[in-house]
């Protein structure tokens, strides 16, 4: 049976200019190319209300360390009031 441990849980709150598409591309490339994780997008949903968007994204990134160990990282992005 696999042991799971929550290492970190962070919240980022920002009001102002922010290029989400560049952040999304950077984060995905950093995990897959720099850290060599296989990244699977488990969920991508987008709701548009007027000129605002609400986006929910879930990623699972995994990497085999040995025949007995595998690292798995789970990411959840919730973006509200994106204009």
């Amino acid at each position: 049976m696999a042991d799971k441990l929550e290492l970190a849980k962070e919240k980022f709150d920002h009001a102002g200019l922010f290029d989400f598409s560049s952040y999304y591309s950077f984060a995905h490339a950093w995990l897959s190319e720099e850290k060599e994780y296989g990244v699977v997008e488990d969920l991508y949903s987008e709701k548009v209300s007027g000129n605002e968007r609400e986006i929910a994204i879930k990623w699972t990134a995994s990497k085999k360390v040995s025949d007995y160990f595998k690292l798995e990282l789970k990411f959840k992005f919730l973006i509200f009031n994106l204009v």
Side-chain angles (χ1 to χ4, degrees):
M1 178 111 179
D3 290 334
K4 294 187 179 184
L5 174 67
E6 184 175 303
L7 296 176
K9 188 173 186 176
E10 297 294 327
K11 181 180 178 182
F12 174 70
D13 192 4
H14 177 74
L17 296 176
F18 184 72
D19 188 356
F20 180 72
S21 64
S22 293
Y23 172 75
Y24 179 95
S25 298
F26 168 77
H28 193 278
W30 183 78
L31 282 169
S32 60
E33 296 169 12
E34 183 76 22
K35 297 299 178 183
E36 299 177 349
Y37 279 88
V39 180
V40 175
E41 190 168 77
D42 301 316
L43 170 74
Y44 184 95
S45 72
E46 185 172 342
K47 296 177 186 173
V48 178
S49 176
N51 66 338
E52 294 182 348
R53 295 188 300 167
E54 183 176 303
I55 302 172
I57 302 169
K58 289 185 182 179
W59 286 350
T60 301
S62 60
K63 175 168 52 172
K64 185 177 177 182
V65 178
S66 70
D67 289 340
Y68 299 101
F69 295 101
K70 175 176 108 174
L71 297 175
E72 186 173 272
L73 307 173
K74 294 192 180 263
F75 297 89
K76 181 170 34 172
F77 302 94
L78 298 173
I79 297 93
F80 300 103
N81 303 325
L82 182 67
V83 179

